[in-house]
Amino acid sequence: MAQPPTFETVPRHVAIVMDGNGRWARKRMMPRGVGHKAGVDALVSVVQASVDRGIEYLTVFAFSSENWKRPEEEVSGLMSLLLVAVAKHLTKLCADGVRIRIAGDLENVSPKIRDALLDAQAKTAANSRLTLTVAFNYGGRWDIVQACQKAMRDGLAAAQLDEAALSSYMTMAYAPDPDLLIRTGGEVRLSNFLLWQSAYAELYFSDCLWPDFDASQLDQALSTFAQRERRFGDVGESGQGAGALGGAVGSTDQPSGH
Ligand code: FPP
């Protein structure tokens, strides 16, 4: 097997909005569900490529809090696909050292889906090579609101609620902030994904439709990332600011640099 390319800087955490499944299917005169199915295959290959390239955290937007507005048939197709995908790929993911975590509101999803997702989370809990967070029934605003609610329930005083405190209540408090946020499918927006966590993420937009996104497309994104100068609000290395030494306040998102 060919060795993956090496980059001067590899992001520790890559987040992806996997957009374009529907258009991919339409181009082939097929139902949208076929595009979602091909989207799962693309995800499986990107997870493998991420493991091979030493990415530690991969977070994917699988189903947003707004996706319930889609036609019933498409929503139920996505739910069945999710169940099938988990059953089909869990053993291999486990063997590759992938830990699955779910970010999102699981309270109002069907027990069948919730149990399958929590089961995948539990079965992979001891893995540490790559943490794959599946954002399901997730919205960035929901995440911020639930963090504030938890903090209030814990009785935090207003003065105690600083950036670090609020970060600790976000659903992905276990992960560093994303270094690189990729969106496929040609749209140039965040669509309510990781709003809090992406404050200093490098954004990469690709016209590639998600089912066509593969290891070589990921490498293009990684190569672009390696050329970006991250300043975290400082003046950067050329201006010799403190940013050359440190990152954003409350952020742990320093790239691994290997
Ligand atoms: C956006 O494409 C994609 C989604 C809403 C779902 C992404 C899901 C997967 C890749 C499969 C893995 C996840 C599950 C839940 C099985 P779109 O449908 O908006 O495409 P379009 O913009 O071309 O219409």
Side-chain angles (χ1 to χ4, degrees), residues 18-23 32 36 39-40 62 67 70 78 82 210:
M18 310 177 287
D19 194 14
N21 295 346
R23 279 165 286 161
R32 294 174 59 80
H36 293 315
V40 173
N67 284 154
R70 293 185 175 214
L78 273 169
L82 184 63
W210 174 252

Side-chain angles (χ1 to χ4, degrees), residues 161-245:
L161 195 64
D162 58 12
E163 290 187 20
L166 192 56
S167 288
S168 74
Y169 285 100
M170 305 298 291
T171 42
M172 290 182 59
Y174 54 83
D177 286 344
D179 304 292
L180 172 65
L181 189 149
I182 298 171
R183 180 174 185 144
T184 63
E187 309 288 357
V188 186
R189 54 176 173 258
L190 292 180
S191 296
N192 201 16
F193 189 43
L194 302 178
L195 298 180
W196 173 269
Q197 298 86 343
S198 295
Y200 288 96
E202 293 296 325
L203 306 181
Y204 179 87
F205 296 99
S206 163
D207 287 334
C208 178
L209 301 175
W210 174 252
D212 291 328
F213 200 86
D214 58 10
S216 72
Q217 296 281 338
L218 178 68
D219 288 337
Q220 279 183 38
L222 295 178
S223 165
T224 301
F225 175 82
Q227 288 157 29
R228 300 256 179 105
E229 188 195 356
R230 305 187 77 195
R231 293 197 293 271
F232 299 101
D234 202 335
V235 289
E237 285 192 17
S238 48
Q240 294 180 335
L245 301 172

Side-chain angles (χ1 to χ4, degrees), residues 43-129:
L43 177 56
V44 169
S45 74
V46 167
V47 169
Q48 183 62 60
S50 301
V51 170
D52 294 343
R53 282 148 186 78
I55 292 165
E56 295 172 61
Y57 297 87
L58 178 68
T59 301
V60 294
F61 209 0
F63 195 85
S64 79
S65 356
E66 289 77 32
N67 284 154
W68 298 107
K69 294 178 199 155
R70 293 185 175 214
E72 201 320 276
E73 191 191 333
E74 181 170 349
V75 171
S76 61
L78 273 169
M79 298 302 145
S80 312
L81 191 57
L82 184 63
L83 291 174
V84 171
V86 169
K88 185 171 167 196
H89 298 289
L90 197 61
T91 307
K92 170 84 166 76
L93 288 170
C94 233
D96 289 342
V98 177
R99 176 173 191 176
I100 295 177
R101 299 197 72 152
I102 311 300
D105 184 1
L106 291 187
E107 252 170 48
N108 296 313
V109 302
S110 83
K112 209 169 163 188
I113 295 286
R114 186 171 53 237
D115 291 351
L117 292 175
L118 294 178
D119 183 56
Q121 199 169 250
K123 284 195 171 126
T124 59
N127 299 341
S128 58
R129 204 159 167 206

